Amino acid sequence: MANPNYVSRHNPDYVFDYDPNEDAWTADLSTLDMSRGERFRDDTFWPFFERLRKEDPVHYCPDSINGPYWSVTKFNDIMAVDTNHQQFSSEPSIVLFDPEEDFPLPMFIAMDPPKHDVQRKTVSPIVAPNHLAQLEPIIRERAGALLDSVPRDEVFNWVDKISIELTTQMLATLFDFPWEDRRKLTRWSDVATAAPGGGIVESDEQRRMELMECLQYFNRLWEERAAAPPRADLISMLAHGESTRDMPRQEFLGNLILLIVGGNDTTRNSITGSIYALNKFPEQYKKLKANPALIPSLVSETIRWQTPLAFMRRTALEDVELGGKLIKKHDKVVMWYVSGNRDDEVIANPNAFDIERENVRRHLSFGFGIHRCVGNRLGEMQLRIVWEEILKRFEHIEVMGEPKRVYSSFVKGYETLPVRIHA
């Protein structure tokens, strides 16, 4: 059924039909569009990607709400694109829609060298090993306090109580953001990635208005940090960095969104995904409780199995042949990490959740090449600490129903997950 609210200035005439009961194995591949948020909200996309991997691994969609694009669905093809920035550019966008001319949001993840490299280098000290070592006891103390605060023998929403709150506290620390306003970071992250009409924002105009509020708030912080000696927070790093201190305000906003979403959505959905996965595969939960030394492997397997960001986009800089298909210059190319992480030619029994998996760190969720996730070690550390503290406290966290999933083909996440902790 069509969603009349989901309109786009990029393609206002697009007819957005969706049938949740569509059969993946008989669907017309010539018109198949995998970018529909409904497929991810309803968790119906898996067999479509399985078919594409088998029958059309480099697939052309001639029409979508954001125009035509290629889907790359197999592990090795995705890696080939991701590591080839000479032919596949991150500019102008790493999502399917292009920036609006009157509201550009440049960010270093959507830049090519050399500008990408110098901006990334400016913020990378925040996740250097010595700084992570300083953050670990802070994260552990907060995780423990949050876990101690949740109710026992009572159903509550794990996403809100633990996943969002823990990651938002971490973001507030990284930005040195006013503690009492930290949930603004969660809101801005949701607004930045939400599809209009999906329950977060109703229009592009609302999104723009709320993101401008984000910029105004952070501008005040920027001015304070620029006038003070350099400190070890992200705003101070940007305000004093040689390559970033004179950046235009829209570029500041773009990089803020990148850092907020990168620090919020990926970690919070991995934390929730680990609870959901261990309940779907209870034998793995038993193994974990019997042997907490498996926690690092649990972390990597969760990030593969969950794949918190479903894709990244590139744009072809020239005609390129991939998988027997000719991708034309300027074509959009979507690397579906969520599909590549289930490629059974590379990952054995990929639909299973296996915390004793061989080569468990071999996954696509952090990307490859120059754009490999800058905060991957911080995200892994947060998930590891959460589970170390969970196993100290609780015999079992029981999922009490199916989650409500995010309406997005980009952020693969959860709005709610009802759980109960047995006293």
Side-chain angles (χ1 to χ4, degrees):
M1 103 186 121
N3 180 350
N5 295 313
Y6 192 23
V7 295
S8 170
R9 66 190 56 190
H10 309 288
N11 190 357
D13 298 322
Y14 179 65
V15 178
F16 194 76
D17 290 323
Y18 169 71
D19 177 4
N21 299 312
E22 182 182 16
D23 183 0
W25 297 97
T26 59
D28 184 356
L29 291 186
S30 68
T31 59
L32 181 64
D33 175 13
M34 291 306 302
S35 70
R36 296 173 174 176
E38 284 93 341
R39 295 194 195 280
F40 289 80
R41 178 198 64 196
D42 298 343
D43 202 37
T44 59
F45 59 89
W46 297 108
F48 292 92
F49 279 129
E50 184 180 355
R51 184 178 174 198
L52 287 178
R53 290 193 300 271
K54 292 182 184 304
E55 298 181 19
D56 197 11
V58 181
H59 171 264
Y60 186 68
C61 173
D63 194 19
S64 79
I65 199 166
N66 293 299
Y69 67 94
W70 292 90
S71 284
V72 184
T73 57
K74 291 185 71 64
F75 190 106
N76 289 328
D77 289 339
I78 292 168
M79 189 185 297
V81 173
D82 218 358
T83 55
N84 183 3
H85 64 271
Q86 293 85 2
Q87 291 182 303
F88 296 101
S89 172
S90 297
E91 299 177 5
S93 176
I94 49 89
V95 293
L96 263 169
F97 57 86
D98 291 332
E100 299 161 22
E101 289 185 9
D102 61 342
F103 196 67
L105 290 173
M107 57 186 73
F108 67 79
I109 198 174
M111 296 175 183
D112 295 327
K115 192 172 183 180
H116 161 270
D117 299 348
V118 294
Q119 290 202 1
R120 178 182 169 114
K121 187 177 180 180
T122 300
V123 299
S124 59
I126 201 81
V127 289
N130 63 326
H131 196 245
L132 292 183
Q134 296 172 28
L135 290 173
E136 179 159 355
I138 298 172
I139 297 170
R140 190 174 301 281
E141 180 182 358
R142 290 176 180 167
L146 284 173
L147 292 169
D148 288 339
S149 72
V150 295
R152 308 297 194 268
D153 286 329
E154 179 183 317
V155 177
F156 66 94
N157 178 12
W158 178 269
V159 176
D160 182 71
K161 292 286 189 183
I162 299 296
S163 299
I164 289 178
E165 185 57 29
L166 184 64
T167 51
T168 300
Q169 289 184 11
M170 190 69 258
L171 271 179
T173 298
L174 296 177
F175 285 118
D176 194 12
F177 191 85
W179 194 253
E180 66 278 6
D181 286 342
R182 64 189 181 278
R183 282 285 177 131
K184 290 181 181 291
L185 297 169
T186 306
R187 174 64 186 173
W188 292 328
S189 179
D190 291 343
V191 167
T193 59
I200 304 296
V201 294
E202 292 308 311
S203 66
D204 287 327
E205 289 70 24
Q206 181 188 354
R207 181 206 309 280
R208 183 184 300 203
M209 180 188 70
E210 294 201 38
L211 292 182
M212 288 307 296
E213 292 173 357
C214 170
L215 178 58
Q216 291 167 8
Y217 195 113
F218 272 97
N219 269 337
R220 294 196 299 272
L221 299 181
W222 175 288
E223 291 168 3
E224 293 171 4
R225 309 293 159 81
R231 305 203 314 242
D233 67 80
L234 285 168
I235 305 305
S236 185
M237 289 176 179
L238 291 170
H240 290 276
E242 184 177 348
S243 63
T244 54
R245 62 191 176 204
D246 297 320
M247 68 170 58
R249 293 300 83 182
Q250 287 297 115
E251 190 169 317
F252 179 39
L253 177 59
N255 280 312
L256 284 173
I257 291 169
L258 167 61
L259 295 168
I260 291 170
V261 171
N264 178 57
D265 278 345
T266 53
T267 305
R268 94 185 195 198
N269 291 316
S270 295
I271 292 172
T272 303
S274 65
I275 297 288
Y276 182 60
L278 288 170
N279 273 263
K280 284 183 71 71
F281 296 87
E283 74 285 354
Q284 300 299 310
Y285 205 167
K286 291 178 183 177
K287 286 181 185 178
L288 181 69
K289 288 187 285 191
N291 183 11
L294 289 170
I295 289 176
S297 181
L298 162 74
V299 168
S300 294
E301 179 68 346
T302 295
I303 293 167
R304 179 200 70 86
W305 189 85
Q306 176 62 33
T307 316
L309 291 180
F311 74 83
M312 287 284 172
R313 168 196 154 187
R314 299 290 183 259
T315 302
L317 293 174
E318 57 188 53
D319 291 1
V320 184
E321 184 175 323
L322 182 70
K325 303 289 184 71
L326 181 62
I327 297 172
K328 294 282 196 175
K329 183 178 181 179
H330 303 310
D331 282 357
K332 298 177 182 180
V333 180
V334 173
M335 303 176 292
W336 288 105
Y337 295 154
V338 69
S339 174
N341 277 338
R342 301 296 177 99
D343 185 349
D344 61 8
E345 292 184 9
V346 176
I347 300 170
N349 196 16
N351 294 319
F353 186 79
D354 181 2
I355 65 173
E356 294 182 302
R357 182 181 298 280
E358 291 186 19
N359 299 318
V360 71
R361 295 186 64 84
R362 189 182 190 189
H363 61 74
L364 295 164
S365 299
F366 292 134
F368 287 95
I370 62 170
H371 291 288
R372 181 169 172 81
C373 176
V374 68
N376 64 313
R377 298 299 183 188
L378 175 59
E380 289 177 328
M381 184 173 75
Q382 289 184 83
L383 186 54
R384 170 178 61 80
I385 291 170
V386 166
W387 272 101
E388 287 171 352
E389 296 304 311
I390 286 172
L391 293 183
K392 290 177 185 177
R393 288 167 171 79
F394 309 138
E395 175 62 26
H396 192 73
I397 301 174
E398 181 183 6
V399 171
M400 302 302 293
E402 278 296 297
K404 181 181 180 183
R405 295 177 172 85
V406 172
Y407 180 91
S408 171
S409 61
F410 181 62
V411 174
K412 183 173 168 288
Y414 307 92
E415 291 185 16
T416 65
L417 182 69
V419 303
R420 182 176 64 187
I421 295 174
H422 297 274

